[in-house]
Amino acid sequence: MTRPGQVLDYPGIAATGLPPERWPAGFRRLRVSSRVGSGDEDFAAAAEAVMRWRMHRRAGVRFDTDAERAAPDVEVVVGLGVGGLRLHAPCRLVWTVEQPRRTGWAYGTLPGHPLRGEEAFVVVRDADGTVRLEVLAFSTPATRATAAAGPLLPAFQRWYARRTGRVLRRIVRDAREAREA
């Protein structure tokens, strides 16, 4: 896991919970919104999948944590890749929200992560009942290797944000089909 006492290594801690104009300057920004369902039951299924890590684990990343549910200060290590090529990215949750129309969390990077910054995964239920996953992030490379990735890094981040939306849409659809069975 992570080493005790590690500190978040970027400015603007918890800024993904604020409007983007309040995010720190000098970081790449990401905002991807994916429709995942409609109505209260779809919102509840999506929110639970995000808060209990199911969306991330089904998206094909290793998501190591001792916590069963998202909460502030929970530490996670995200693993990307396979075998000896797996990249380990330590993070700490900086905020969570559980409201009738908005549920999710954000994590910030810890030393050893290939990026510096923050990423949020929030399920939103619009006034018309549409349920969306919003992925919000600001980041900058933390290593020479990630800096060398150039435009590939933001492309990968956008791909992953869209992938989590597709995965959550399937989770919601499966929950709906189980309710209707």
Side-chain angles (χ1 to χ4, degrees), residues 11 20 55 86 143-144 157:
M55 178 189 71
R86 184 178 310 272
T143 68
R144 282 197 279 267
Q157 288 177 300

Side-chain angles (χ1 to χ4, degrees), residues 153-166:
L153 188 59
F156 173 77
Q157 288 177 300
R158 188 164 296 286
W159 172 84
Y160 183 71
R162 288 182 178 137
R163 176 160 175 68
T164 56
R166 289 189 305 271

Side-chain angles (χ1 to χ4, degrees), residues 99-169:
Q99 298 171 345
R101 299 174 84 83
R102 189 170 179 266
T103 296
W105 50 266
Y107 56 51
T109 59
L110 291 169
H113 195 292
L115 298 174
R116 289 178 51 234
E118 200 167 287
E119 189 167 28
F121 300 88
V122 182
V123 178
V124 177
R125 185 169 49 91
D126 295 330
D128 69 357
T130 300
V131 179
R132 298 178 290 109
L133 173 67
E134 294 238 325
V135 180
L136 310 164
F138 61 87
S139 64
T140 192
T143 68
R144 282 197 279 267
T146 50
L152 296 176
L153 188 59
F156 173 77
Q157 288 177 300
R158 188 164 296 286
W159 172 84
Y160 183 71
R162 288 182 178 137
R163 176 160 175 68
T164 56
R166 289 189 305 271
V167 166
L168 191 56
R169 190 176 308 119

Side-chain angles (χ1 to χ4, degrees), residues 51 53 67 69-75 92-96 105:
M51 295 303 284
W53 327 117
R69 185 173 179 80
D73 297 321
V74 164
E75 294 190 356
R92 179 177 301 131
L93 272 66
V94 294
W95 59 261
T96 61
W105 50 266

